[in-house]
C-alpha cells in the first residue's frame, strides 16, 4: 500500500473504527446464549397458574411443569447442563488463545481475522439451527460451542495488534479505553437482538448475530490495513535517477526485521505473568455476570427473558464508563496496576446489589474497568516493552498470553456458577467476592513489584 495516497490520520481513524466494529460483532455473537438460557429452561409455574385460573375441569390433568422447556434442559440439573455449555465454549477459547497469538504472528492478520469471523458466523448460526431442526442432543450444542470458542480466538490478538501498530504510547489508556468499549457495545447489541426474538423464535437470536459477524468478516478482508506502510516501500515507488538508486539500504533494513518472539520469551517480559493472573480473576467475575446475570434476574426477580436481557445491559453500559475512566486515570497517574487495584477494591461491595439498577451500573464500571485496562493498554505496553528492542511482532503473543490466562478465569466463573447456584445464589456471590479479592491482591503486589523496573511504561 502506498501511504501517500491517504493521510496517516485517515488510516488511523479507519483502523480505530473498523477494529471497533469487528470486535463488537465478536461479542455480539457471544451474548445470545446468556439471553436464551431462560428460554431453554422456563419458569413454568405461571403455566400451572394459568391452567387453574381458567376454570379447567379438575378431571383433566394439567400439563407437565417442564413441558415448556427445551430438551435436554428440561431436567432438574439444567443449571449444570447450561454451565457445561458455557464451559465448553470458554475452555476451548482459553486453550485456543495461547496458540492463536503465535499463529497470528506468522500469518497475514487480515486473512487470519477474516477467516475466523466467517467460521464464527457459521457456528453461531448452527446453534440457532438447532431450534429450526428441533435438535435436542446435548452433544450437538457442546460441539458447536467448542468449535465457536476455538475460531473466536482469532479476534482479540489480531485487533489489538492492529490498534497497537497504528497508535503509540501517548494517551494509550484513553484511546484504548474508548476503543475497548466495543466489548460492552457488543454485549448490549447482542442482548437487544437476542431479546427481540427470544420468546417467539430463539433460533433467530443466534442466526442474526451469526450473519452479522460473517458479514463483518468480509468487510475486514476488504478494508483492514494491518500496519503503517514502510517508508522504504514508499520510496521505491517514487521516480528517481537510475544512477542514484541505492538498493542496499533497503536490503539491510529487511534483514534486521526481528522474528516472532517465543512463548517463553514473552513470559519473561516483566509484568506479563502478574497481569495475566490479575486478569484471570477479574475476567472470572466479568464473565460470570456476562453468562449468568439474565438467568439470575429471571429467577431472583421473576422477570421475563426479554426484560431480564434488557436490564442486564446496564452492567455493560457501566463497563463502557469504567473502561474509559480506568484509561484516563491510568494515563494521568502513570500507574496501571494501582488503578486496577483501587477499582477492584471499590467493586467488592457492589457485587451483591445487582438487582438495583443504579448499583448494577456502578458494578459494571468497577468490574470491567480493570478488565478493559489490562486487556488493552497494559497488553500494548507490555507488547512494546523496552526489553523487546522494538520487536513489534511480540504484541500478538503477549496479548494472547494475557487474554488466554484471563480466559481460564472466564471459563471457570460460569462453570462454578452452574455448580454453586443449585445451593443458592448467595454461594455464587461469595465466589465472585473471593475472586475479586484475589485479583485485588495480585494487582497490589504487581504494583509494588513494578515500581522500579516498569516505571517508564507507567505500569506501576
Amino acid at each position: 500500500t502506498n501511504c501517500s495516497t491517504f493521510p496517516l490520520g485517515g488510516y488511523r481513524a479507519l483502523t480505530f473504527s473498523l477494529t471497533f466494529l469487528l470486535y463488537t460483532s465478536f461479542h455480539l455473537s457471544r451474548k445470545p446464549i446468556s439471553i436464551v438460557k431462560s428460554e431453554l429452561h422456563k419458569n413454568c409455574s405461571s403455566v400451572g397458574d394459568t391452567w387453574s385460573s381458567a376454570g379447567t375441569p379438575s378431571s383433566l390433568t394439567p400439563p407437565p411443569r417442564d413441558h415448556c422447556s427445551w430438551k435436554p434442559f428440561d431436567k432438574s440439573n439444567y443449571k449444570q447442563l447450561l454451565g457445561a455449555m458455557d464451559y465448553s465454549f470458554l475452555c476451548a477459547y482459553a486453550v485456543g488463545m495461547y496458540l492463536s497469538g503465535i499463529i497470528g504472528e506468522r500469518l497475514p492478520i487480515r486473512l487470519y481475522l477474516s477467516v475466523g469471523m466467517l467460521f464464527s458466523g457459521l457456528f453461531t448460526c448452527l446453534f440457532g439451527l438447532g431450534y429450526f431442526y428441533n435438535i435436542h442432543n446435548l452433544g450437538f450444542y457442546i460441539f458447536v460451542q467448542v468449535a465457536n470458542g476455538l475460531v473466536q480466538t482469532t479476534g482479540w490478538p489480531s485487533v489489538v495488534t492492529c490498534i497497537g501498530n497504528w497508535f503509540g504510547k501517548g494517551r494509550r489508556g484513553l484511546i484504548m479505553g474508548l476503543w475497548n468499549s466495543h466489548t460492552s457495545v457488543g454485549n448490549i447489541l447482542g442482548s437487544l437482538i437476542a431479546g427481540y426474538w427470544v420468546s417467539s423464535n430463539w433460533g433467530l437470536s443466534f442466526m442474526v448475530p451469526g450473519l452479522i459477524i460473517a458479514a463483518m468478516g468480509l468487510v475486514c478482508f476488504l478494508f483492514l490495513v494491518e500496519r503503517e506502510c514502510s517508508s522504504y516501500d514508499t520510496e521505491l515507488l517514487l521516480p528517481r535517477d537510475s544512477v542514484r538508486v541505492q538498493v542496499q539500504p533497503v536490503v539491510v533494513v529487511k534483514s534486521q526485521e526481528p522474528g516472532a518472539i517465543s512463548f517463553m520469551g514473552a513470559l519473561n517480559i516483566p509484568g506479563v505473568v502478574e497481569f495475566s493472573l490479575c486478569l484471570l480473576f477479574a475476567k472470572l467475575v466479568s464473565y460470570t455476570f456476562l453468562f449468568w446475570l439474565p438467568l439470575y434476574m429471571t429467577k431472583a426477580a421473576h422477570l421475563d427473558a426479554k426484560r431480564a436481557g434488557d436490564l442486564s445491559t446496564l452492567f455493560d453500559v457501566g463497563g463502557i464508563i469504567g473502561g474509559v475512566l480506568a484509561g484516563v486515570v491510568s494515563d494521568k497517574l502513570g500507574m496501571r496496576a494501582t488503578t486496577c487495584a483501587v477499582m477492584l477494591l471499590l467493586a467488592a461491595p457492589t457485587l451483591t446489589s445487582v438487582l438495583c439498577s443504579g448499583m448494577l451500573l456502578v458494578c459494571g464500571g468497577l468490574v470491567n474497568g480493570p478488565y478493559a485496562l489490562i486487556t488493552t493498554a497494559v497488553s500494548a505496553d507490555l507488547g512494546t516493552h523496552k526489553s523487546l528492542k522494538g520487536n513489534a511482532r511480540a504484541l500478538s503473543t503477549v496479548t494472547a498470553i494475557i487474554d488466554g490466562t484471563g480466559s481460564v478465569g472466564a471459563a471457570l466463573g460460569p462453570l462454578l456458577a452452574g455448580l454453586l447456584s443449585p445451593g443458592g445464589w448467595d454461594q455464587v456471590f461469595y465466589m465472585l467476592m473471593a475472586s475479586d479479592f484475589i485479583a485485588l491482591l495480585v494487582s497490589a503486589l504487581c504494583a509494588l513489584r513494578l515500581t522500579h523496573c516498569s516505571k517508564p511504561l507507567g505500569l506501576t
Side-chain angles (χ1 to χ4, degrees):
T1 304
N2 186 352
C3 293
S4 62
T5 62
F6 199 65
L8 182 62
Y11 275 115
R12 286 180 174 169
L14 172 64
T15 303
F16 185 95
S17 303
L18 183 56
T19 53
F20 182 95
L21 294 174
L22 294 178
Y23 210 72
T24 294
S25 66
F26 272 95
H27 266 263
L28 183 149
S29 66
R30 294 178 197 175
K31 187 63 178 179
I33 184 64
S34 67
I35 304 300
V36 174
K37 277 179 181 176
S38 56
E39 191 69 18
L40 295 177
H41 184 92
K42 288 185 177 181
N43 184 356
C44 299
S45 58
S46 59
V47 176
D49 296 340
T50 303
W51 181 274
S52 300
S53 62
T56 308
S58 58
S59 58
L60 297 179
T61 304
R65 297 181 72 83
D66 61 355
H67 85 287
C68 57
S69 299
W70 186 269
K71 294 180 180 181
F73 307 104
D74 56 343
K75 302 297 188 291
S76 59
N77 66 337
Y78 72 97
K79 290 182 181 178
Q80 287 86 343
L81 297 181
L82 294 173
M85 282 208 305
D86 293 339
Y87 184 74
S88 60
F89 172 88
L90 294 168
C91 187
Y93 185 87
V95 173
M97 184 60 73
Y98 288 108
L99 300 175
S100 180
I102 297 173
I103 296 173
E105 283 188 358
R106 292 160 174 80
L107 293 175
I109 292 177
R110 181 171 63 96
L111 178 62
Y112 184 58
L113 183 56
S114 300
V115 172
M117 295 181 76
L118 289 171
F119 275 100
S120 181
L122 170 65
F123 291 121
T124 303
C125 288
L126 276 179
F127 199 108
L129 288 176
Y131 174 85
F132 295 103
Y133 287 94
N134 207 30
I135 299 174
H136 298 278
N137 188 328
L138 180 64
F140 168 80
Y141 296 106
I142 295 292
F143 165 76
V144 171
Q145 288 287 83
V146 170
N148 201 10
L150 288 174
V151 297
Q152 286 233 347
T153 60
T154 60
W156 189 243
S158 300
V159 295
V160 172
T161 299
C162 283
I163 206 76
N165 287 340
W166 281 99
F167 292 90
K169 297 176 184 177
R171 304 181 70 188
R172 179 174 274 170
L174 171 61
I175 292 171
M176 289 199 159
L178 291 169
W179 176 75
N180 192 66
S181 63
H182 53 50
T183 299
S184 297
V185 172
N187 291 339
I188 292 170
L189 292 177
S191 296
L192 296 176
I193 292 173
Y196 185 82
W197 284 288
V198 64
S199 298
S200 58
N201 186 339
W202 65 256
L204 290 176
S205 296
F206 289 92
M207 295 287 290
V208 174
L211 293 174
I212 290 175
I213 189 173
M216 290 304 299
L218 295 176
V219 172
C220 172
F221 182 78
L222 294 174
F223 297 106
L224 183 65
V225 181
E226 300 176 15
R227 65 180 72 244
E228 293 187 48
C229 302
S230 169
S231 60
Y232 292 102
D233 296 337
T234 304
E235 288 174 6
L236 289 175
L237 297 173
L238 300 177
R240 56 170 61 185
D241 191 292
S242 59
V243 178
R244 300 181 61 187
V245 172
Q246 298 181 5
V247 179
Q248 186 174 358
V250 178
V251 175
V252 171
V253 170
K254 295 296 181 181
S255 66
Q256 291 178 350
E257 182 178 349
I261 192 173
S262 67
F263 185 85
M264 292 306 299
L267 285 178
N268 288 330
I269 299 172
V272 168
V273 174
E274 293 87 348
F275 278 110
S276 297
L277 292 175
C278 181
L279 183 62
L280 187 152
F281 293 101
K283 204 168 182 179
L284 185 153
V285 177
S286 179
Y287 266 64
T288 302
F289 279 109
L290 173 67
F291 281 88
W292 283 89
L293 183 58
L295 181 63
Y296 168 68
M297 288 180 168
T298 60
K299 303 302 181 183
H302 307 291
L303 302 175
D304 60 69
K306 185 179 186 306
R307 173 63 178 160
D310 292 345
L311 188 59
S312 68
T313 59
L314 288 175
F315 183 81
D316 296 300
V317 173
I320 296 174
I321 300 171
V324 175
L325 181 62
V328 172
V329 172
S330 66
D331 277 346
K332 186 75 173 178
L333 301 179
M335 298 185 293
R336 310 272 197 223
T338 304
T339 303
C340 291
V342 172
M343 296 188 77
L344 290 167
L345 176 64
L346 296 175
T350 69
L351 295 175
T352 58
S353 306
V354 293
L355 289 180
C356 171
S357 299
M359 291 303 292
L360 182 59
L361 193 70
V362 174
C363 180
L366 295 174
V367 168
N368 287 327
Y371 161 35
L373 186 62
I374 294 173
T375 54
T376 54
V378 169
S379 295
D381 288 345
L382 293 173
T384 54
H385 192 271
K386 60 182 180 180
S387 65
L388 298 173
K389 299 178 181 179
N391 184 359
R393 299 183 67 185
L395 180 55
S396 181
T397 298
V398 170
T399 301
I401 289 174
I402 293 176
D403 198 52
T405 305
S407 297
V408 173
L412 289 176
L415 175 66
L416 292 175
L419 296 175
L420 295 174
S421 56
W425 289 102
D426 286 346
Q427 296 186 24
V428 176
F429 287 105
Y430 291 147
M431 179 267 292
L432 294 177
M433 292 180 72
S435 300
D436 180 82
F437 176 77
I438 296 173
L440 165 63
L441 182 62
V442 173
S443 61
L445 293 175
C446 183
L448 292 175
R449 180 177 178 184
L450 295 174
T451 298
H452 300 293
C453 67
S454 294
K455 195 169 184 180
L457 280 176
L459 291 169
T460 309

